[in-house]
Amino acid sequence: LRKMKPILLQGHERSITQIKYNREGDLLFSVAKDTVTNVWYSVNGERLGTYNGHTGAVWCVDCDCILHQQDLHLCA
């Protein structure tokens, strides 16, 4: 069994509205009321990148990963 440990995600200025893993489980996506979407490595919580461009709160996120091509779907 793999030992689980908590990950502290520090990258949002307002409340997180959803957190979702990609299909492989190696990436973690977080969206919040601060208009920012972040992607993190699930193993260590390191932030991989930020998606900007929304002008309002982001309520949900979904990631479709097929053959190394990732599509990110956001609901604002």
Side-chain angles (χ1 to χ4, degrees):
L1 289 173
R2 187 172 153 189
K3 189 173 182 179
M4 295 176 57
K5 63 178 182 175
I7 297 174
L8 179 61
L9 304 177
Q10 294 182 330
H12 290 285
E13 295 179 6
R14 296 194 59 205
S15 301
I16 292 175
T17 55
Q18 187 180 31
I19 296 174
K20 187 156 189 170
Y21 285 94
N22 67 340
R23 182 176 293 147
E24 292 80 10
D26 59 337
L27 299 177
L28 183 64
F29 294 85
S30 63
V31 293
K33 292 181 180 179
D34 63 5
T35 73
V36 176
T37 301
N38 288 313
V39 59
W40 316 81
Y41 289 114
S42 62
V43 175
N44 59 11
E46 178 185 348
R47 185 167 38 183
L48 177 62
T50 301
Y51 296 91
N52 294 308
H54 281 275
T55 57
V58 183
W59 295 99
C60 60
V61 62
D62 195 16
C63 177
D64 293 324
C65 304
I66 302 172
L67 298 176
H68 304 291
Q69 179 180 355
Q70 293 190 1
D71 295 322
L72 186 64
H73 307 280
L74 303 173
C75 304

